[in-house]
Amino acid sequence: MRSFLGVVGGAALVLALAAAPAGAAEGADQDFTIKDPRIKESSGIAASRAHPGVYWTHNDQDAPLIYGVDSRTGETVATLTMKGVGTPRDMEAISIGPDGDIYVGDIGDNKDGTWDHVWIYRFPEPEQLKNQTVTAKQYVVKYADGPRNAEALMVHPKTGRVYIASKNENTGGLYAGPERLSASGTNVFRRVDDVPWVTDGAFSPEGDRLLLRGYFSAKEYAWKDGRLGDDGTSVGAPFQGQAESATYTTDGSALMFGSEGENSGVVRVDRPEAPAPTGKTPGAAPPKESAGVPDTPEERGNFTVGVIVLGVATALVIGGKRLLRRR
């Protein structure tokens, strides 16, 4: 499977590099490459609250490992081994709550939504950056309307409520957990809104915006009364071979987009000016400059080719995964 994804990822590499900002300034919270050879399938990313410039990530796999990567160097500065939890099945997302705890979403379902429950793991962000074992709580999660495949878990930075966005070819769902998670019972998540195909998401530090990304695009939505407050504004996500992760910088000035693969890149996109919520306006298009639409014929041509190539690549990835699951 990795060789298959490598071929597809290679086809999109030139586009991904071309889309990345040139000459990004050195320092924390800028573009960086994850150099750790153990991190081959970075599937979620979250900016550390305790250690400026460090980003927590994990593989899409069954090992209970969380990695702290320094954005200044791309090097891993801490490896956390979770204890107190079972063997993860499909870790897909990571987020940090207002209490400083790290939440890990073992919420993927490679059998297209057939597991009757999934898990969330939670532990305090460590005070020191070093290799260590952390004791985590494990929460059982079920959906009120039946099993779902999901890759995005978001903890609201003010209320601490946990949300999950399911992944669906047509329309996914945004699910809200209970006001407080229970480690002794089942936590039922209920659908509160519709969302597009989502591979990751994050709340802004202020808690008034929700970022959702997919393979080809990402949007910021106004967040109001526990639901999406508008139709979203495009934020110009970069083209990446296997677009899997997204988060905000801790100061909220920019968005960080990551992808799977060895030596995968994390790309900074400065945050656009967030418009004041005006309510949902079906059919309304975002302003041209907000949507990242190319201006010249040459740019439009390159943009179209990029979309076509990545469309074919994504179709191959999804089709290949399904084919392998049927074997």
Side-chain angles (χ1 to χ4, degrees):
M1 186 63 189
R2 286 175 181 162
S3 61
F4 175 82
L5 290 176
V7 172
V8 175
L13 179 59
V14 174
L15 292 170
L17 291 175
E26 293 184 1
D29 302 323
Q30 301 296 330
D31 295 8
F32 67 95
T33 298
I34 298 176
K35 298 178 181 179
D36 193 329
R38 297 173 298 173
I39 307 175
K40 296 181 172 67
E41 296 179 286
S42 175
S43 192
I45 189 171
S48 170
R49 303 296 188 269
H51 309 286
V54 171
Y55 287 81
W56 298 105
T57 188
H58 54 84
N59 280 316
D60 176 3
Q61 64 179 29
D62 59 2
L65 300 176
I66 308 298
Y67 304 95
V69 180
D70 191 333
S71 61
R72 288 165 285 251
T73 64
E75 301 287 351
T76 298
V77 291
T79 300
L80 311 180
T81 302
M82 293 185 293
K83 72 174 184 178
V85 303
T87 301
R89 286 187 298 208
D90 191 0
M91 296 195 306
E92 290 285 359
I94 188 168
S95 184
I96 299 180
D99 53 6
D101 283 3
I102 294 177
Y103 294 70
V104 182
D106 188 1
I107 56 176
D109 189 340
N110 287 328
K111 295 184 179 180
D112 290 329
T114 58
W115 292 331
D116 74 337
H117 70 278
V118 291
W119 298 303
I120 293 172
Y121 312 126
R122 174 184 178 184
F123 58 89
E125 183 173 12
E127 295 180 358
Q128 296 183 337
L129 290 174
K130 63 179 182 179
N131 297 342
Q132 56 192 292
T133 298
V134 294
T135 301
K137 293 181 179 179
Q138 178 169 304
Y139 302 95
V140 174
V141 169
K142 290 188 176 183
Y143 302 96
D145 53 357
R148 293 288 183 271
N149 184 21
E151 294 190 4
L153 177 146
M154 299 78 63
V155 183
H156 194 273
K158 303 299 183 183
T159 67
R161 185 164 237 154
V162 182
Y163 296 84
I164 294 174
S166 68
K167 179 179 176 182
N168 191 284
E169 292 179 15
N170 298 312
T171 302
L174 181 65
Y175 292 81
E179 186 175 347
R180 293 289 180 267
L181 295 179
S182 170
S184 59
T186 298
N187 298 274
V188 178
F189 278 60
R190 303 183 185 280
R191 190 173 183 132
V192 295
D193 221 322
D194 295 335
V195 293
W197 183 290
V198 177
T199 59
D200 203 8
F203 281 106
S204 65
E206 307 88 355
D208 61 345
R209 308 290 293 175
L210 176 63
L211 171 69
L212 296 176
R213 88 164 300 182
Y215 286 125
F216 303 128
S217 63
K219 286 185 175 183
E220 264 194 322
Y221 298 84
W223 185 255
K224 186 177 181 180
D225 300 327
R227 298 174 65 92
L228 302 180
D230 59 18
D231 291 325
T233 301
S234 174
V235 295
F239 291 128
Q240 293 174 301
Q242 182 76 357
E244 288 285 341
S245 59
T247 193
Y248 288 81
T249 55
T250 53
D251 63 3
S253 65
L255 311 169
M256 304 294 283
F257 294 98
S259 63
E260 290 190 358
E262 295 185 34
N263 295 311
S264 60
V266 177
V267 178
R268 175 190 173 107
V269 173
D270 287 333
R271 187 178 178 189
E273 190 70 28
T278 58
K280 291 197 173 185
T281 52
K288 186 175 181 180
E289 63 270 20
S290 297
V293 177
D295 290 324
T296 68
E298 180 179 2
E299 288 175 339
R300 287 194 292 270
N302 290 338
F303 179 85
T304 301
V305 171
V307 170
I308 293 173
V309 170
L310 283 176
V312 172
T314 300
L316 288 172
V317 169
I318 296 170
K321 286 184 176 179
R322 288 179 175 169
L323 179 61
L324 291 177
R325 283 199 299 266
R326 291 171 184 161
R327 291 182 177 177

